[in-house]
Amino acid sequence: MRRNTIVAIGAALILSGCATYSAGVGTPVIAATDMPAQLQKNDNSLLGRSVRFEHAGIKALADGRKQAFITLSSQSNYDQHLQYRFYWYDANHQQVEQTPWLSTVLHGQEQQQLQSTAKTSNASAFRFYVRQAD
């Protein structure tokens, strides 16, 4: 019995090494009334050291939808080819939409503001995620 458990754990570890996921850097959920002091969450420590989130926020548009913005700051001297996406949440913290992965190049020591406009008027908060492009 114990041997079967060890074999099963070993197989799970080997298979998890083959899983495809893209580690990146993301923010916690950001609402217009709740701006976190610590924006950055790291799934990829190398990317977390070379890209910083400087400013983020939400503004209301005339039609009731929200527009999110975030400023990325390069901590590197080199160009970084990145992909990013925004996730939108309603007042109940349920995800209501997400953007497709979009590409950008963040040049060495550059700051770049990225933005997204929610398609639905019930979106009230967002989360931002960035990863290195393949």
Side-chain angles (χ1 to χ4, degrees), residues 5 17 31-32 37 39 43 51 63 84 100 117 129:
T5 303
L39 285 176
D43 293 333
V51 174
D63 63 2
Y84 66 93
T117 302
Y129 199 79

Side-chain angles (χ1 to χ4, degrees), residues 25-30 39-41 53 56 70 126-129:
V25 181
T27 66
V29 174
I30 299 171
L39 285 176
Q40 196 145 323
K41 286 176 29 178
F53 303 144
I70 190 161
F126 76 96
R127 184 170 56 92
F128 177 81
Y129 199 79

Side-chain angles (χ1 to χ4, degrees), residues 28-51:
V29 174
I30 299 171
T33 58
D34 181 32
M35 188 57 62
Q38 174 66 356
L39 285 176
Q40 196 145 323
K41 286 176 29 178
N42 290 316
D43 293 333
N44 179 326
S45 60
L46 180 61
L47 184 60
R49 286 192 302 270
S50 62
V51 174

